[in-house]
């Protein structure tokens, strides 16, 4: 069993910063891509940023220059530093990880955290 546990959400004024954290635990042999997604009320879940095990990153255009994703492979953790937050960043943020459970597993599986609320007031 694999769990992803997020923390760090909250209420912040526009222009402020938040740092989200997500730690994976359980039966984990290897983690491939880790990422953050978000879902605003009435909207579809969208990708915010991803990072590979080698450190290559990818961002949605609206996050470029403001958000920074990083990971600690030893801690099986991924982080999202969010600066210059805007009201339109308000959403539930979800951690995602593509995980190989054991050395003999045939494929990677996608796991999701429970979500953490980020609210940016104007």
């Amino acid at each position: 069993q694999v769990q992803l546990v997020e923390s760090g959400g909250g209420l912040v004024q526009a222009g402020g910063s938040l740092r989200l954290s997500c730690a994976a635990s359980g039966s984990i042999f290897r983690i491939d891509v880790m990422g953050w997604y978000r879902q605003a009320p009435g909207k579809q879940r969208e990708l915010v940023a991803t990072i590979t095990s080698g450190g290559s990153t990818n961002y949605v255009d609206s996050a470029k220059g403001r958000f920074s994703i990083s990971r600690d492979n030893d801690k099986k953790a991924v982080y999202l530093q969010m600066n210059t937050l805007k009201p339109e960043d308000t959403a539930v943020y979800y951690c995602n990880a593509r995980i190989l459970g054991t050395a003999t597993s045939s494929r990677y599986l996608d796991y999701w955290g429970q979500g953490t609320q980020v609210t940016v007031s104007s």
Side-chain angles (χ1 to χ4, degrees):
Q1 191 77 357
V2 173
Q3 277 192 319
L4 299 181
V5 179
E6 300 127 333
S7 61
L11 174 64
V12 65
Q13 288 189 330
S17 298
L18 283 174
R19 186 175 188 251
L20 305 183
S21 300
C22 172
S25 62
S27 177
I28 299 171
F29 177 71
R30 184 177 296 140
I31 302 177
D32 186 16
V33 179
M34 303 185 81
W36 290 94
Y37 292 71
R38 65 187 179 188
Q39 187 166 19
K43 294 188 177 181
Q44 289 189 327
R45 189 175 298 189
E46 66 169 353
L47 180 147
V48 177
T50 61
I51 183 168
T52 68
S53 57
S56 296
T57 59
N58 179 54
Y59 296 91
V60 67
D61 284 347
S62 61
K64 290 178 181 177
R66 299 188 299 125
F67 294 3
S68 178
I69 189 170
S70 60
R71 66 190 278 174
D72 185 328
N73 291 327
D74 290 337
K75 294 182 178 179
K76 300 182 178 64
V78 63
Y79 310 97
L80 186 68
Q81 178 66 43
M82 304 185 293
N83 299 325
T84 319
L85 282 160
K86 304 176 181 180
E88 50 263 44
D89 294 317
T90 296
V92 178
Y93 284 69
Y94 296 91
C95 172
N96 170 268
R98 184 159 293 180
I99 294 172
L100 196 65
T102 69
T104 57
S105 296
S106 59
R107 60 191 179 98
Y108 285 85
L109 297 178
D110 275 318
Y111 292 90
W112 294 88
Q114 80 285 356
T116 185
Q117 177 70 46
V118 171
T119 302
V120 184
S121 63
S122 56

